[in-house]
Amino acid sequence: SSGINAEYGYIEMGNTKLIAAVYGPKEILRREEFSLKGKVNCEFKFMPFSRAHYCEPRQNFEEKMISKCICDAMEGVILLEKFPKALVDISVQVIQDDGSALALALTAASVALINANIEVKDLVVGTTLRYFENSDVLVDPTAEEEHGPFSKFTGGAGFHLAVLPSLSQISYLKQTGKIEQSQARDCIETCWETCLRLATGIKNLLQESIDSDAPR
């Protein structure tokens, strides 16, 4: 046995399904990588048949960018000073992609960290929102709504938001497209409220898991 923790976070929303795995903390062996704070490494990947088109096993640019987003968000929430000379590996695999994969990946990675008993400041909860020029708003849109021809021809903007609900802080925010400032504010507010509702449900599930594992 290696003695390395391996814990998981599985999330489904609509037809999007993904799993996050956390390995570590494990000792950094190479001297040049020594740090008084722990380090985080993340790899995000769409599985080959998770989308309508075949996804190559090798990471593409989109997957590398999402990996960096997850890594940055998790570095901001993990108490890395508790793990000097150690590395936390996070792997997120999308089993089926029908939209909102980034937001769900952030949430699943956070749940996996908690399941691995890695000390964190708070839970991270993400959501995606699509705003159209006709003022329609879709929260956690499908792949077609997020990226399809309809979204391209109707303009508008997209938002990805992740929050630390107990601390009332934003962990990650990305906006694409053009939108008036007042409308952007409303969209972020909607994302915020959605994240807080999701956080309540996730915390309840985590507590139920803890209670079920407790000795009787």
Side-chain angles (χ1 to χ4, degrees):
S1 173
S2 65
I4 295 173
N5 291 330
E7 292 293 344
Y8 302 88
Y10 175 79
I11 287 187
E12 287 187 27
M13 183 169 288
N15 291 322
T16 298
K17 305 171 185 178
L18 54 79
I19 187 167
V22 169
Y23 304 92
K26 53 190 178 183
E27 186 180 0
I28 296 174
L29 299 177
R30 288 187 290 186
R31 184 173 296 177
E32 64 270 19
E33 292 186 2
F34 172 81
S35 173
L36 290 175
K37 282 188 173 184
K39 293 189 174 184
V40 180
N41 180 60
C42 181
E43 182 178 66
F44 174 93
K45 192 78 188 72
F46 291 103
M47 295 182 72
F49 298 101
S50 61
R51 289 176 144 179
H53 61 274
Y54 177 77
C55 300
E56 294 290 339
R58 191 173 182 178
Q59 258 196 333
N60 62 24
F61 178 76
E62 178 189 9
E63 292 165 330
K64 289 178 180 178
M65 291 301 295
I66 294 177
S67 296
K68 186 178 185 310
C69 292
I70 299 169
C71 191
D72 289 347
M74 296 306 117
E75 281 180 342
V77 76
I78 298 172
L79 299 178
L80 292 172
E81 64 273 13
K82 302 277 189 178
F83 312 113
K85 300 187 293 183
L87 174 69
V88 176
D89 265 321
I90 302 172
S91 171
V92 181
Q93 292 188 317
V94 180
I95 301 166
Q96 185 174 330
D97 177 30
D98 191 28
S100 306
L102 170 56
L104 292 179
L106 290 164
T107 306
S110 177
V111 169
L113 288 170
I114 292 169
N115 285 337
N117 294 319
I118 290 175
E119 292 187 67
V120 294
K121 298 175 186 175
D122 199 355
L123 174 70
V124 179
V125 182
T127 194
T128 300
L129 181 145
R130 189 74 176 82
Y131 175 87
F132 299 98
E133 287 183 342
N134 63 2
S135 297
D136 283 346
V137 172
L138 293 172
V139 177
D140 293 318
T142 65
E144 182 69 15
E145 292 164 342
E146 190 176 1
H147 304 296
F150 175 69
S151 66
K152 292 176 183 175
F153 292 129
T154 53
F159 293 84
H160 302 279
L161 179 76
V163 306
L164 308 180
S166 297
L167 297 176
S168 295
Q169 294 178 0
I170 291 177
S171 171
Y172 177 81
L173 174 61
K174 179 183 179 183
Q175 177 191 333
T176 57
K178 295 181 179 180
I179 186 173
E180 295 292 331
Q181 187 173 353
S182 60
Q183 294 166 331
R185 194 181 304 116
D186 290 342
C187 288
I188 292 171
E189 181 75 21
T190 299
C191 287
W192 180 274
E193 292 171 356
T194 301
C195 286
L196 294 184
R197 286 197 299 271
L198 289 171
T200 300
I202 293 169
K203 286 179 179 179
N204 289 338
L205 289 172
L206 287 169
Q207 188 60 54
E208 286 175 11
S209 177
I210 292 168
D211 293 343
S212 66
D213 290 340
R216 298 184 183 277

